[in-house]
């Protein structure tokens, strides 16, 4: 299974989509020499991102096999109809008032509540915390149904091995070296409900992801990827929980000609700009 397959089952994110980048005039380099324009596909950062996807696809596929659920994310609804524009327009309604372990919880037992849950869960599961064992276990146990969480924990620990983390420039505890900032973020662009009932919902989140290492010595600059993450949610113990999830590439817009930021600018932005609690 490759990252380009139409039907991928994954608990993480990443991608191999190439991004056109305009470099600061007079340098042509990003993060102290990691040139990104016109470079062959052997680029280390490309290999790294491919590694993220392949390992996590394998882990989640193993965990979900035999559970009788479908991992298809073809974007079709049960009736074949498409949501109209009004159904996906932001409402401005605050999604929740509470948090569990720093993650929003207690979502409404409605379609909007399911969409808010899926958007917020994608942010948590795409965070740097997933690369640290204790935080990862907490997130999986909080966001997934008990049955799904019990299947995921072991395979995920194997996927996030010390060898794998070292390829990302992280130590065995998932920490970046001194002077560098590891970036892993999911930024939802929108959500849509594919299926809904009182007990279950299928919600897709269209997002842009950031991943890479920001630092003067980094050879893996922070890059973007566009994905659609589809969650099979169940209503359990007064909240929406993830029973299954899957991802596919895109839709990706045409890249612009923005000038690539320096390592210091990226690190500063990551420190200064926090994430959001997402609502419809």
């Amino acid at each position: 299974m490759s990252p380009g397959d139409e039907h991928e089952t994954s608990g993480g994110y990443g991608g191999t989509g190439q991004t056109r980048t305009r470099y600061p005039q007079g340098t042509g380099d990003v993060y102290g020499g990691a040139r990104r324009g016109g470079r062959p596909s052997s680029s280390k950062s490309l290999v790294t991102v491919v590694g993220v996807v392949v390992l996590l696809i394998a882990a989640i596929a193993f965990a979900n096999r035999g559970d009788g659920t479908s991992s298809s994310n073809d974007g079709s609804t049960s009736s074949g109809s498409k949501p109209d524009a009004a159904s996906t327009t932001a409402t401005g309604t605050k999604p929740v008032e509470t948090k569990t372990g720093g993650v929003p919880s207690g979502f409404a037992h409605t379609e909007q509540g399911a969409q808010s849950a899926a958007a917020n869960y994608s942010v948590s599961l795409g965070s740097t915390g997933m690369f640290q064992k204790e935080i990862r276990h907490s997130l999986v146990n909080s966001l997934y149904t008990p049955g799904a969480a019990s299947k995921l924990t072991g395979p995920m620990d194997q996927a996030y091995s010390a060898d794998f983390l070292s390829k990302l420039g992280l130590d065995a505890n998932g920490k970046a070296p001194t002077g560098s900032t590891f970036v892993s973020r999911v930024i939802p662009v929108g959500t849509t409900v594919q299926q809904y009932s009182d007990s279950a919902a299928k919600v897709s989140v269209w997002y842009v992801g950031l991943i890479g290492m920001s630092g003067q010595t980094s050879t893996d600059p922070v890059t973007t990827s566009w994905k659609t993450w589809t969650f099979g949610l169940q209503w359990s113990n007064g909240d929406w929980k993830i029973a299954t999830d899957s991802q596919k590439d895109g839709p990706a817009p045409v890249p612009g000609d923005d000038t690539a930021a320096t390592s210091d600018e990226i690190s500063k932005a990551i420190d200064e700009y926090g994430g959001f609690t997402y609502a419809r």
Side-chain angles (χ1 to χ4, degrees), residues 1-277:
M1 182 181 295
S2 68
D5 291 341
E6 278 194 20
H7 298 289
E8 298 181 357
T9 304
S10 174
Y13 83 94
T16 58
Q18 301 210 350
T19 302
R20 179 179 53 179
T21 305
R22 189 177 68 194
Y23 300 95
Q25 293 183 355
T27 64
D29 293 331
V30 177
Y31 301 178
R35 187 176 181 86
R36 299 288 293 172
R39 192 79 180 263
S41 60
S42 60
S43 165
K44 181 181 176 184
S45 71
L46 178 60
V47 173
T48 295
V49 176
V50 171
V52 174
V53 179
V54 171
L55 283 171
L56 297 186
I57 286 174
I60 308 306
F62 173 82
N64 285 336
R65 67 179 181 177
D67 62 359
T69 59
S70 172
S71 62
S72 173
N73 51 1
D74 58 7
S76 61
T77 63
S78 56
S79 62
S81 61
K82 297 181 179 179
D84 56 32
S87 69
T88 57
T89 300
T91 64
T93 302
K94 192 171 183 177
V96 292
E97 299 288 344
T98 59
K99 287 188 176 182
T100 301
V103 179
S105 61
F107 293 93
H109 195 184
T110 62
E111 287 193 22
Q112 179 173 316
Q115 290 180 79
S116 294
N120 282 283
Y121 294 170
S122 69
V123 171
S124 296
L125 294 171
S127 70
T128 56
M130 288 295 288
F131 296 82
Q132 300 175 36
K133 186 175 182 178
E134 185 175 347
I135 298 176
R136 180 172 66 251
H137 284 187
S138 177
L139 287 172
V140 171
N141 289 328
S142 296
L143 305 184
Y144 286 82
T145 63
S150 66
K151 294 178 180 179
L152 285 172
T153 303
M156 274 194 170
D157 286 347
Q158 293 178 7
Y160 289 99
S161 65
D163 180 62
F164 167 61
L165 294 175
S166 70
K167 293 177 181 178
L168 295 174
L170 304 171
D171 65 19
N173 296 315
K175 299 294 184 65
T178 301
S180 296
T181 301
F182 179 59
V183 181
S184 180
R185 284 195 184 185
V186 161
I187 304 97
V189 176
T191 62
T192 186
V193 175
Q194 305 295 341
Q195 298 172 8
Y196 182 81
S197 70
D198 285 343
S199 60
K202 182 179 180 182
V203 181
S204 291
V205 180
W206 179 35
Y207 74 86
V208 58
L210 305 178
I211 191 167
M213 187 75 75
S214 176
Q216 293 296 332
T217 60
S218 172
T219 57
D220 297 301
V222 178
T223 58
T224 60
S225 62
W226 289 85
K227 299 280 184 177
T228 300
W229 202 338
T230 300
F231 294 93
L233 302 174
Q234 288 184 5
W235 184 254
S236 176
N237 295 322
D239 208 352
W240 292 107
K241 299 294 182 180
I242 306 169
T244 61
D245 60 319
S246 57
Q247 290 197 55
K248 67 177 181 180
D249 293 335
V254 175
D257 288 325
D258 301 313
T259 300
T262 65
S263 169
D264 288 342
E265 289 173 329
I266 290 293
S267 296
K268 183 178 180 182
I270 291 298
D271 289 338
E272 291 183 348
Y273 295 90
F276 294 100
T277 296

